[in-house]
Structure formats: C-alpha cells, structure tokens
Amino acid sequence: MFEEDLKKLDEMVRIIRSEETTLDGALKAYDEGMKAYESCRKVLEETKGKIEVSDGKDI
Amino acid sequence: MALRPITVTQLNEYIARVFESDVLLMDIAVTGEITNLKHHSSGHVYFSITDENSKINCFLASSYANALRYELADGLKVIVTGKVNVYKKGGYYSIFVRSLTVSGEGDLAVAFELMKEKLAKEGLFSPEHKKELPVFPRKLGILTSDTGAAVRDIIKIIRQRNELVDIYVFPVKVQGEGAAEDIASTLDRVNEKRQDIDVLIVGRGGGSREDLWAFNEEVLARAIYRSEIPVISAVGHEIDFSISDFVADRRAETPTAAAEMAVPDIGEMLRYISDLRDDLQKQLSSKLRYDSLRADNSLKALRDGMVKYLDDRLALIEKMKIMLEGNDPYRIMERGYSVIEDQEGKAVASKEDLKDGEYDIVFRDGKVRVRISHV
C-alpha cells in the first residue's frame, strides 16, 4: 500500500539521520528506504485513473 | 315573501360547495407573514399569515410538514400554496397548505439561522463526528449537476494535480424542489453500494441564495451526517455558507478548492519522495565517511600508539644501555687501568687474595696469561 511505503520511507530517513544508528543500521535503513522509495515512485508514475459518469439511478 | 330558513349545517355545506367549485380558491398562492405558529404533536403545523390589515389561518398537514424546506418561525415572510378549505363544523375557512417557500432575502437568512441553530443543538456539526480526509484517495465521487461548470472545473483541477485517482460523477439536481432529496438519496445509495470510494465532493457552482437553498435543507444535512465516506461540501462562492458546509467533514470555499483539498498533487509527492531518497543517500555517504574517518582515526591512533610504544621501548633500552655502559667495569681500562682475573675469571680485588699460580691480566685491548710466584 502506498501509504505504508511512504511512512516506511519517512521512518528510514529518521533512523539513518539519528546519531545512535550504527553503520550497519544505516546500511539496513538505506536498503529498506530505497525499496520503499521505488514502490512509491512506481505507484505515482505508472497508475492512470479513469472517469465514469453514472447515468441517473444505477450506482 | 319570508325566506325559508335552512339549518347551519346546510348553510356551511353550501358555502363549502361554493368554495370547491371556484377554481381559484382550489389552487392559490398567498404571501404573508407567519404569526402564532404552533407545531402540534401529531406533526401537523398550525399558523396564520397576515398582511397589514388582515389575517388567515393556515393548516400544514404533517405529511407536507416533513417535506418542508424551511424551519418556520413567527415573523417569517412566506408564500403558501394550497386550497381554501371550509371547516363546516366551525363555520370558518382556512388555507390547506401544500407547499411553502420563504420569499424575502432577509427571511431566507432567518430561516437559515433557524435551521443552523436546530441542527447545531442536535450535534450535527460536532467536530468529533467529522472524519479525516484520506491522504491518498484512489477513488473520488462527485455529487453535483452533470451539466454545470462546477463538475468540469472539479475534474480539470483534479486531473491537473493527480492523474491517478478514479473519478465517479453522480449527477444530481442541485436547485429547487426535490433537489435536496435527490442529493440525499444519491448520497445514501453511494454509501450503500460504493464503499470503495474514498472521498466525496458534494456541491455546486455559484447562484442566488434561493438557488443554493437545497444545501441548507435538513434532509440533505442528515444524509451528509450519516455518510460513512468523508464528504467535502463545496457550495457556491467563498462568501456562501450553507448548512451542508457545517455538517460536512470539510468545507471547501468553491468546487475548485474542493478538488485541490481532495487529492494530493502527484508532482509534489514525487518531489517529496525523491528528496527523501537524496536524504537517504546523503546520510549514508556521510555516515560511511564519518565511520571510515573514525576507522582511520582509530587506525591512526593505533599506529601512533604502537609507534609511541616502540619509541618508549627504544628509549628505555637506550637508557639501560647507557647505564650499563656507565657501570661497565672494563670501561675504566680505557684510561690505562687493567684487571687481574683468576682462573674462574673473577677479578682479584686485594693483594691478600693473590697466590702463586696462573692469572690473566686484562687490558683494554685484550688478555695476557701470566704466572705469579713468590708472593
């Protein structure tokens, strides 16, 4: 889900920024962050929405 | 000749028949100001309407009262339509009201305030009840007229910002009699059949207060309140406030503002996530550099430590060497002294220790074997 990936990306940046994060913690955060970024980008760039007008009473 | 008397009943019935045969009286519209308004427990509403010099009673049956588009109050200027009915028993006539509209701009304002007060008291506007709009809707519904400019504007603004969301238009009447009911029932049906839709925009473009009145009606207000799907109300222009604005989860000043509020701008989101990606890369490389720096430092510290350690050791050895040399017994021979050693290599310190026998005399440049006799 897009929202979850977005949240994950934010979280990974928070982790990688924090002083306590060790080097391998940073590496792990980087990998997961990039994966989350990729899936967000794919959703934003690929899906196309449609437009439908329901005629009158059938919904 | 004297008139033949008839009974009261016969008279009233005659009058009633006269009224009923008069086309005008059977379908009439009358304007006046409401006085002594009474809501009967049965749901029927009794009031009179007056002008400067006369008054007539009105009767609004409960069935019509429920469909009332306005909250009534004494002093409200209204137009009632209906038929003039003779109440035979009581010998008086009144208007059986079929529909009622509030006419004056001022009166509409009064009716608006009355409705707002009534629904506010019931808690229909309470903030706790309002739902959050989805941050990233996949499906958006629009309830508005499919012929007006509003729906075109909304779709245009949405598509400018967001190519991704599916848009579903549900055409409704947005003005006049029955509009509020139409919107309300559509809203209920969308909630029932299309729970996959994430957010709804309900509204219309600009118009007079009367044009927008459907959005002040109770039936629509309650439908919006019932809606499980978050509703953005977008009625008229900035200055137009409607009851549905107060009930909805969010109010947009105009239909286009609603479009901007409803969907995220994909371009902005792309920039946002790529900033985060850059941040990831920047942070990682700075951490790597920092860590490698730290590694270098610790390496350097280690090396320095080693070097220092060795230097200390060398210095120590040097010092010991000097000390040894300082105390080197043979060092004195440099200045011409020599040492006599016995056969075990022990130095003979006193002449008392000297006996006949073989000894070595050690010079700075070597040893000589000698024999000593006659001590």
Side-chain angles (χ1 to χ4, degrees):
Chain A
M1 265 286 285
F2 180 80
E3 284 85 344
E4 274 132 33
D5 290 330
L6 191 60
K7 227 178 266 144
K8 174 161 237 184
L9 180 51
D10 272 318
E11 178 58 12
M12 290 308 129
V13 171
R14 193 192 57 71
I15 291 174
I16 206 168
R17 273 178 174 282
S18 99
E19 294 309 321
E20 299 89 30
T21 305
T22 61
L23 180 53
D24 53 22
L27 285 168
K28 197 162 144 304
Y30 175 78
D31 285 343
E32 274 175 47
M34 288 309 281
K35 256 194 248 116
Y37 163 75
E38 269 317 314
S39 53
C40 286
R41 189 193 54 72
K42 221 152 59 1
V43 168
L44 292 178
E45 279 175 353
E46 270 141 28
T47 38
K48 283 280 169 282
K50 57 182 191 283
I51 300 180
E52 270 178 28
V53 182
S54 87
D55 49 11
K57 291 319 148 211
D58 74 326
I59 281 185
Chain B
M1 66 108 179
L3 288 172
R4 199 170 60 77
I6 62 174
T7 67
V8 172
T9 305
Q10 286 168 320
L11 173 59
N12 284 346
E13 272 171 5
Y14 174 74
I15 291 172
R17 268 201 311 284
V18 167
F19 274 37
E20 272 146 22
S21 60
D22 178 318
V23 166
L24 183 63
L25 293 178
M26 283 307 108
D27 191 13
I28 195 164
V30 187
T31 180
E33 190 179 296
I34 291 183
T35 57
N36 42 58
L37 173 72
K38 278 189 231 33
H39 290 272
H40 193 270
S41 56
S42 60
H44 300 323
V45 182
Y46 299 88
F47 56 93
S48 321
I49 52 174
T50 62
D51 59 15
E52 305 75 37
N53 26 46
S54 56
K55 182 188 79 159
I56 185 169
N57 291 338
C58 296
F59 167 70
L60 183 63
S62 57
S63 54
Y64 291 113
N66 298 336
L68 208 56
R69 296 182 61 196
Y70 308 90
E71 196 59 22
L72 300 185
D74 285 346
L76 212 57
K77 209 145 131 317
V78 293
I79 301 169
V80 297
T81 52
K83 71 181 175 89
V84 180
N85 176 67
V86 172
Y87 180 55
K88 297 184 201 108
K89 271 218 173 58
Y92 61 82
Y93 58 83
S94 62
I95 302 175
F96 271 23
V97 174
R98 272 197 312 279
S99 79
L100 175 151
T101 56
V102 170
S103 52
E105 207 35 47
D107 299 278
L108 282 178
V110 167
F112 176 84
E113 287 310 323
L114 290 168
M115 178 62 80
K116 192 171 136 195
E117 205 182 298
K118 171 181 174 181
L119 298 182
K121 253 198 227 92
E122 277 185 47
L124 260 71
F125 306 155
S126 74
E128 301 77 35
H129 179 76
K130 297 196 187 304
K131 296 176 276 305
E132 283 298 315
L133 297 189
V135 169
F136 198 78
R138 294 299 164 67
K139 296 187 173 171
L140 173 140
I142 309 173
L143 278 78
T144 187
S145 139
D146 59 353
T147 55
V151 67
R152 282 197 304 280
D153 293 347
I154 294 175
I155 294 177
K156 189 174 109 235
I157 298 293
I158 288 177
R159 278 298 176 241
Q160 269 171 18
R161 293 166 62 84
N162 188 316
E163 285 291 324
L164 191 135
V165 66
D166 292 341
I167 300 174
Y168 300 91
V169 177
F170 302 100
V172 289
K173 260 183 76 167
V174 290
Q175 198 166 317
E177 288 286 334
E181 285 74 13
D182 186 19
I183 305 169
S185 64
T186 307
L187 200 48
D188 286 338
R189 266 180 299 121
V190 168
N191 265 277
E192 194 203 324
K193 296 214 181 73
R194 293 303 307 274
Q195 278 148 16
D196 55 325
I197 290 182
D198 305 311
V199 62
L200 291 171
I201 295 177
V202 178
R204 55 157 291 158
S208 71
R209 189 180 269 272
E210 182 50 32
D211 294 342
L212 308 181
W213 193 263
F215 294 88
N216 292 328
E217 294 186 37
E218 189 169 343
V219 63
L220 177 53
R222 294 194 186 287
I224 291 176
Y225 187 77
R226 278 193 303 270
S227 172
E228 305 276 316
I229 304 172
V231 170
I232 301 174
S233 159
V235 183
H237 302 307
E238 290 73 6
I239 45 135
D240 302 314
F241 267 83
S242 68
I243 298 288
S244 51
D245 288 339
F246 296 115
V247 187
D249 300 295
R250 283 288 288 280
R251 170 189 188 246
E253 289 181 343
T254 59
T256 47
E260 274 153 13
M261 192 184 284
V263 297
D265 183 318
I266 295 295
E268 253 164 52
M269 273 208 156
L270 273 170
R271 272 188 299 283
Y272 174 67
I273 62 169
S274 45
D275 288 352
L276 288 181
R277 178 209 48 202
D278 297 346
D279 215 358
L280 275 176
Q281 284 159 346
K282 193 161 94 325
Q283 289 299 330
L284 183 64
S285 58
S286 75
K287 202 166 254 311
L288 283 173
R289 240 194 342 280
Y290 166 74
D291 272 43
S292 61
L293 212 62
R294 221 175 45 175
D296 292 349
N297 292 347
S298 41
L299 206 61
K300 191 168 161 307
L302 203 64
R303 208 180 306 114
D304 293 352
M306 283 298 292
V307 164
K308 191 167 175 314
Y309 176 79
L310 290 176
D311 289 350
D312 292 352
R313 284 290 158 280
L314 282 172
L316 193 63
I317 292 164
E318 207 55 46
K319 215 157 76 230
M320 284 161 67
K321 180 166 156 290
I322 291 163
M323 237 174 34
L324 274 175
E325 280 165 358
N327 301 308
D328 178 356
Y330 298 101
R331 196 64 186 282
I332 200 149
M333 288 186 270
E334 299 292 334
R335 301 206 293 282
Y337 290 90
S338 60
V339 179
I340 298 174
E341 288 179 352
D342 61 15
Q343 287 316 308
E344 288 95 19
K346 256 170 62 294
V348 177
S350 116
K351 69 180 174 56
E352 304 311 328
D353 303 341
L354 211 54
K355 297 183 192 54
D356 291 358
E358 285 192 349
Y359 289 90
D360 289 336
I361 299 176
V362 181
F363 296 92
R364 67 162 183 256
D365 52 3
K367 284 185 180 173
V368 170
R369 176 60 52 93
V370 296
R371 173 175 289 289
I372 295 187
S373 54
H374 312 299
V375 166

